[in-house]
Amino acid sequence: MTTSPENVPAARQRSRTRDRRSALIVILGGLIGTVLLALSLTGTLSAFTAAITNTTDTVSTGSLVMQETDGTNTCTSSSSATNSVNCATINKYTGNTLMPGGSATKTVTLSNQGSITPATFTLTPATCSQSGSVSGITPASDFCAQVTLKIYAAATATGPTSYNGTLAAFTTPLSLTALAPAGSQAYTFVVSLPSGLGNSYMGLTASQQLTWTFSS
């Protein structure tokens, strides 16, 4: 059918109206689809949900803190920033002046003030050294080999020994029973001299550094 010239503007107008309606329908359809997609992603339209929130997800470190006391003096590892302290107030060899055949005893107590049980507990000796002399008398050079040491894992000098030998031979770390948190153990040290020492042993001092160590 041929459109007459006078009907052309009306036909174009109707076509434009149809195009606008089609575009509007497409736009509305897109908006509705977008809303439905958003709702499906947020779960608004879901009928069932389940969730677990763990509110105590933490991890912590334990502590190893050692304390030594002789009943009068106390040394604690954490009193220094490195958790390792030099303790000059506790002398496990007593510091007493002995005569030939004499002995001296010292008891100390070690405790675990930390929150974990160490994997190992050791007592490590340094090399024994001697010093001193008496004027006019040539000193013997083996005093450390003359001093006998006995160590008992007890509050008294009874039972089996953890070490029994001379200070000179005490060169290997002792492996001790690890202490649980708040646990403690007494250790008794007995030093003695043989009765037959001569004048060349007068005025001598034997010194040996001992180190207690907890290791995780």
Side-chain angles (χ1 to χ4, degrees):
M1 174 178 153
T2 303
T3 304
S4 62
E6 62 272 13
N7 291 333
V8 170
R12 290 178 178 174
Q13 183 64 34
R14 286 193 296 271
S15 176
R16 290 173 183 171
T17 300
R18 286 195 300 270
D19 290 343
R20 292 192 187 100
R21 288 175 181 173
S22 298
L24 181 59
I25 291 172
V26 170
I27 293 171
L28 289 175
L31 290 174
I32 292 172
T34 301
V35 171
L36 291 175
L37 178 60
L39 291 175
S40 66
L41 292 176
T42 58
T44 302
L45 298 182
S46 299
F48 305 108
T49 63
I52 295 175
T53 300
N54 301 115
T55 60
T56 56
D57 304 309
T58 63
V59 62
S60 305
T61 59
S63 63
L64 284 177
V65 179
M66 179 188 296
Q67 187 174 87
E68 179 183 21
T69 180
D70 62 1
T72 301
N73 303 290
T74 298
C75 295
T76 305
S77 64
S78 59
S79 61
S80 76
T82 60
N83 202 28
S84 176
V85 65
N86 292 327
C87 181
T89 57
I90 297 177
N91 188 336
K92 286 185 277 292
Y93 294 169
T94 75
N96 291 353
T97 299
L98 301 181
M99 299 293 289
S103 64
T105 301
K106 181 76 166 185
T107 298
V108 298
T109 299
L110 272 292
S111 61
N112 183 352
Q113 303 291 309
S115 62
I116 60 177
T117 300
T120 61
F121 176 28
T122 57
L123 177 62
T124 303
T127 301
C128 179
S129 62
Q130 75 170 62
S131 59
S133 64
V134 171
S135 180
I137 298 177
T138 300
S141 60
D142 64 342
F143 187 47
C144 287
Q146 300 300 323
V147 182
T148 297
L149 169 67
K150 293 182 179 181
I151 304 175
Y152 301 84
T156 58
T158 56
T161 58
S162 299
Y163 178 79
N164 185 357
T166 67
L167 298 188
F170 190 19
T171 58
T172 302
L174 298 181
S175 180
L176 307 172
T177 301
L179 300 175
S184 63
Q185 176 64 57
Y187 291 92
T188 297
F189 294 73
V190 180
V191 289
S192 59
L193 297 178
S195 57
L197 291 183
N199 288 344
S200 62
Y201 290 95
M202 292 194 300
L204 301 182
T205 298
S207 302
Q208 188 169 37
Q209 180 175 291
L210 302 176
T211 303
W212 305 100
T213 304
F214 285 163
S215 294
S216 61

